[in-house]
Amino acid sequence: MLIAGNWKMFKGPAATREFAAAFTAPAGVEVVVAPPFVSLAAAIESGLTVFAQNVHWAQEGAFTGEISAAMLLELGVAGAIVGHSERRQYFGETDETVARRAEAALAAGLRVIACVGELEEERERGETEAVLRRQVSVLPDDERLAVAYEPVWAIGTGRTATPEMAQEAHAFVKTLLDRPVLYGGSVKPENAAELLAQPDVDGALVGGASLDPASFAAICEAGAAAAARG
Ligand code: PGA
């Protein structure tokens, strides 16, 4: 059971230290946070297990604005998120660049959470499985890779996939790649237990609700309880 907090472009170093001082991870669940690049060091120094929100495939080079896996490892970062739908929507990320980022990160020794998920219109057209097949088929089969199923229409909207919808998509993803699958999209303390109780929901990738230490801790508690039930 892995609960990951994706802080997106929130929390500089001072706010990161404040969060860490107020947050206690429960036993029985693995908890990681993904702060913005400038706050990675503060999070690590505060004792959190830390993922980056992105990583480049080259070790170094003329790639303005990018960060390599080697640089993240030097800092003490444990892993990286790749292919978040916001990167795909706003920053031109493609299935091919997501795969390159994932492969390089894994080869360098980072763990990876690779995000996949359909748009609302794709679900309405009955294309969810085709989209997931396209996005998942490029990902490397590696023991340090987890997939995050994040239906784009559920991210930051307050609309969560039903537990049945999540379970169905997760089970489908696992027919393509036999790796743990986290659910993401408006996970909150109120809906976490039901989502995490699904047999193929192996954790959560939490955005908005991971910014508040108490609400993130409540989601982590739900994860620990679900893990304890098996
Ligand atoms: P949300 O974001 O929990 O705020 O919907 C999830 C994500 O983007 O990973």
Side-chain angles (χ1 to χ4, degrees):
M1 181 69 63
L2 171 63
I3 309 292
N6 172 17
W7 289 358
K8 310 191 179 188
M9 201 170 74
F10 294 98
K11 293 194 195 294
T16 297
R17 285 186 206 99
E18 273 169 41
F19 176 96
F23 174 75
T24 315
V29 62
E30 195 189 4
V31 178
V32 309
V33 296
F37 283 115
V38 295
S39 302
L40 293 173
I44 292 163
E45 284 157 18
S46 303
L48 298 166
T49 302
V50 176
F51 273 44
Q53 294 176 18
N54 195 11
V55 58
H56 195 259
W57 51 83
Q59 209 176 340
E60 59 182 12
F63 299 107
T64 302
E66 294 283 331
I67 306 280
S68 73
M71 293 168 183
L72 295 173
L73 284 161
E74 183 181 340
L75 206 62
V77 170
I81 297 171
V82 300
H84 191 278
S85 66
E86 286 151 17
R87 303 246 24 118
R88 294 178 191 257
Q89 277 185 293
Y90 307 137
F91 301 102
E93 199 75 69
T94 64
D95 294 331
E96 195 213 327
T97 56
V98 172
R100 291 181 75 181
R101 291 180 198 279
E103 275 159 22
L106 292 164
L110 287 172
R111 297 165 60 190
V112 165
I113 297 172
C115 304
V116 301
E118 79 287 359
L119 302 170
E120 179 155 41
E121 52 272 32
E122 291 168 335
R123 177 164 281 269
E124 279 166 3
R125 288 198 299 260
E127 294 170 5
T128 298
E129 291 198 347
V131 170
L132 293 176
R133 180 175 282 113
R134 195 195 77 220
Q135 293 175 334
V136 172
S137 65
V138 298
L139 298 176
D141 186 358
D142 188 292
E143 62 181 14
R144 273 168 304 151
L145 180 116
V147 177
Y149 169 62
E150 300 204 302
V152 178
W153 47 269
I155 294 178
T157 58
R159 292 171 57 200
T160 319
T162 64
E164 295 72 26
M165 280 159 88
Q167 167 57 28
E168 193 180 43
H170 285 222
F172 179 71
V173 167
K174 288 183 186 186
T175 66
L176 306 169
L177 187 64
D178 189 17
R179 298 300 310 146
V181 183
L182 317 182
Y183 171 78
S186 298
V187 176
K188 300 182 203 68
E190 302 76 51
N191 59 26
E194 219 188 348
L195 287 160
L196 292 167
Q198 299 302 309
D200 289 308
V201 176
D202 306 308
L205 181 55
V206 186
S210 73
L211 295 171
D212 175 65
S215 80
F216 191 50
I219 294 167
C220 295
E221 299 278 0
R229 279 193 304 271

